Amino acid sequence: MTEDEIRSILSKIRYPGYAKSIVDFKIVKSIEISGDEVKILLNLATKNEDVRNRVLEEIKSAFKGSGIRLILTTVQDQPTSTTVEQKHFVQSAKKRIAVLSAKGGVGKTTVAVSMAISLKRKGYKVAILDADIHGPNVPRMLGTIEEKATVGENKKLIPVFKDGIYSMSLGYVVDQETPVIWKGAMVTKAIVEMMEMTDWPELDYFIIDLPPGTGDAALTVKQNLDLDGAVIVTTPGELSIADAVRTVDFFNQVGIKISGFVENMAYFVCDNCHNKLYPFGKIEFGDLEKILGLPGLGEIPFDIEVEKSADEGTLARDGNNEYFEIVDKIVDKI
Ligand SMILES: Nc1ncnc2c1ncn2[C@@H]1O[C@H](COP(=O)(O)OP(=O)(O)OP(=O)(O)O)[C@@H](O)[C@H]1O
Ligand SMILES: [Mg+2]
């Protein structure tokens, strides 16, 4: 068997829980062939034993009956940042922080925009990049949905500036009414161009709102930004937690250091009785820290006012103090 043939077999083995293969995840470091002996060096950075074992078992079974003698070894160094060509966009920011989750609708954009507002209220210079190509929601929450990107003298895009926050979104570039089908490579290109082609000012914080999932957008951000932090958003529902576990595992694998998680819609304060209610399920925050193996940064309640102002784009103006006290504490921990 040639190295290409071996690689092609390996590229059909999916990383547990994902559509992408172990080759896509840069797990296969090297393949050495001597006679009928094949040495495969793997970088299995995951801390999840089940995932590790499954990958090893699947490799073994893929070569069963092929007549080769397979030797699997793993390295536990941190090669992802060296195996992937790292670009360094948006160096004009002192800190770059991504907000992400595998699951849709858990409140990533709300948390990302709220963090930006909180930082601005603390006196920092902040920008937010909407890396959601399929459903750019940042402009809706910032109240900049009517804005269009303009090009400056240096041929770079000028970020939209409103309520003290700089932002860039595909929503400023394409007509939101026109549905566009973006394939993987186009998603990558669009995000890279928004990072590279925007005339970002000197910033204290650059926040990136990622689309749901662990696909091309997340990999692109990882490969092109020196991330200083990444925040996972989850909700108390069991499915969302299972997704958060997978997300943590994925980001460990690609070498993104997760700063911690935010539990969004953790509870709801009853208007009449002022008790905390748990309509989305209840899980102890400490338990969640153990399950995810990450520090919890804070619990955000479901707040009808926040939903309304997020939808109307007025969060920066009329977000109430109680809500922002919670967000401020989260931001302080990152
Ligand atoms: N703490 C909250 N209180 C009230 N409403 C919230 C809260 N967090 C999010 N929402 C609402 O839930 C909806 C989904 O939130 P959001 O768009 O932020 O999620 P998302 O994870 O970014 O979704 P997507 O995966 O589609 O990008 C929005 O209407 C938002 O206003
Ligand atoms: Mg979103």
Side-chain angles (χ1 to χ4, degrees):
M1 252 190 229
T2 65
E3 184 175 332
D4 280 349
E5 284 167 335
I6 289 165
R7 202 169 279 279
S8 140
I9 292 172
L10 293 171
S11 69
K12 292 194 182 77
I13 300 175
R14 287 186 181 182
Y15 189 74
Y18 290 90
K20 284 191 188 277
S21 80
I22 57 170
V23 173
D24 294 326
F25 275 104
K26 318 273 179 210
I27 285 169
V28 179
K29 279 208 79 178
S30 65
I31 300 168
E32 267 177 53
I33 306 168
S34 54
D36 59 0
E37 185 181 279
V38 175
K39 273 190 198 160
I40 302 177
L41 182 62
L42 303 163
N43 169 34
L44 268 170
T46 177
K47 290 181 199 148
N48 185 330
E49 279 296 312
D50 284 348
V51 170
R52 263 180 90 79
N53 293 338
R54 260 179 71 190
V55 171
L56 295 174
E57 283 312 313
E58 290 203 25
I59 296 174
K60 284 181 204 157
S61 78
F63 288 96
K64 218 169 236 161
S66 64
I68 64 167
R69 209 153 62 78
L70 197 61
I71 300 173
L72 298 179
T73 42
T74 64
V75 277
Q76 266 3 98
D77 52 0
Q78 297 284 312
T80 29
S81 52
T82 50
T83 49
V84 176
E85 191 199 348
Q86 182 97 23
K87 302 246 175 60
H88 310 281
F89 295 136
V90 204
Q91 291 293 336
S92 65
K94 290 194 187 116
K95 298 266 182 226
R96 290 153 292 270
I97 296 165
V99 178
L100 36 93
S101 82
K103 200 173 176 221
V106 293
K108 290 175 294 298
T109 306
T110 310
V111 171
V113 168
S114 300
M115 279 170 48
I117 297 169
S118 161
L119 286 164
K120 187 224 94 188
R121 286 162 48 137
K122 285 172 189 280
Y124 293 112
K125 219 167 156 189
V126 190
I128 180 163
L129 172 71
D130 188 350
D132 196 338
I133 301 301
H134 296 96
N137 276 331
V138 168
R140 180 170 55 83
M141 295 201 192
L142 288 176
T144 52
I145 203 149
E146 305 292 335
E147 301 283 344
K148 287 276 159 272
T150 48
V151 178
E153 274 174 16
N154 56 4
K155 300 246 163 44
K156 286 197 154 195
L157 291 170
I158 301 168
V160 169
F161 184 69
K162 189 175 179 213
D163 294 331
I165 295 168
Y166 294 88
S167 60
M168 184 46 69
S169 167
L170 199 71
Y172 302 149
V173 183
V174 300
D175 182 359
Q176 293 242 44
E177 302 302 310
T178 321
V180 190
I181 298 163
W182 295 84
K183 300 259 166 59
M186 288 159 78
V187 168
T188 300
K189 195 159 177 275
I191 295 174
V192 166
E193 288 194 351
M194 283 195 294
M195 291 192 285
E196 191 184 12
M197 297 301 294
T198 302
D199 199 4
W200 301 105
E202 291 289 318
L203 296 164
D204 293 307
Y205 288 93
F206 181 72
I207 308 234
I208 309 105
D209 175 34
L210 278 161
T214 49
D216 297 291
L219 278 173
T220 306
V221 165
K222 154 69 191 155
Q223 285 165 15
N224 293 284
L225 282 181
D226 293 327
L227 282 179
D228 295 281
V231 177
I232 286 195
V233 180
T234 184
T235 55
E238 255 170 57
L239 248 184
S240 167
I241 293 165
D243 284 327
V245 172
R246 288 201 306 141
T247 313
V248 173
D249 201 44
F250 169 84
F251 287 108
N252 279 335
Q253 192 64 59
V254 295
I256 294 184
K257 213 175 123 248
I258 307 274
S259 323
F261 67 90
V262 169
E263 186 187 357
N264 189 29
M265 309 195 215
Y267 57 90
F268 172 74
V269 180
C270 164
D271 275 349
N272 298 319
C273 65
H274 302 289
N275 286 333
K276 281 187 182 177
L277 306 177
Y278 299 88
F280 308 103
K282 186 181 177 190
I283 179 155
E284 291 302 328
F285 200 55
D287 289 345
L288 205 49
E289 287 190 320
K290 273 187 220 137
I291 294 169
L292 297 177
L294 287 173
L297 304 170
E299 294 169 279
I300 299 180
F302 179 84
D303 183 331
I304 203 97
E305 296 289 316
V306 168
E307 183 173 43
K308 192 165 168 277
S309 37
D311 286 347
E312 287 170 359
T314 56
L315 200 56
R317 293 183 191 175
D318 58 23
N320 68 52
N321 285 336
E322 232 170 282
Y323 171 77
F324 274 106
E325 265 170 35
I326 296 170
V327 180
D328 288 348
K329 283 194 193 131
I330 291 172
V331 163
D332 288 342
K333 285 191 190 162
I334 297 170

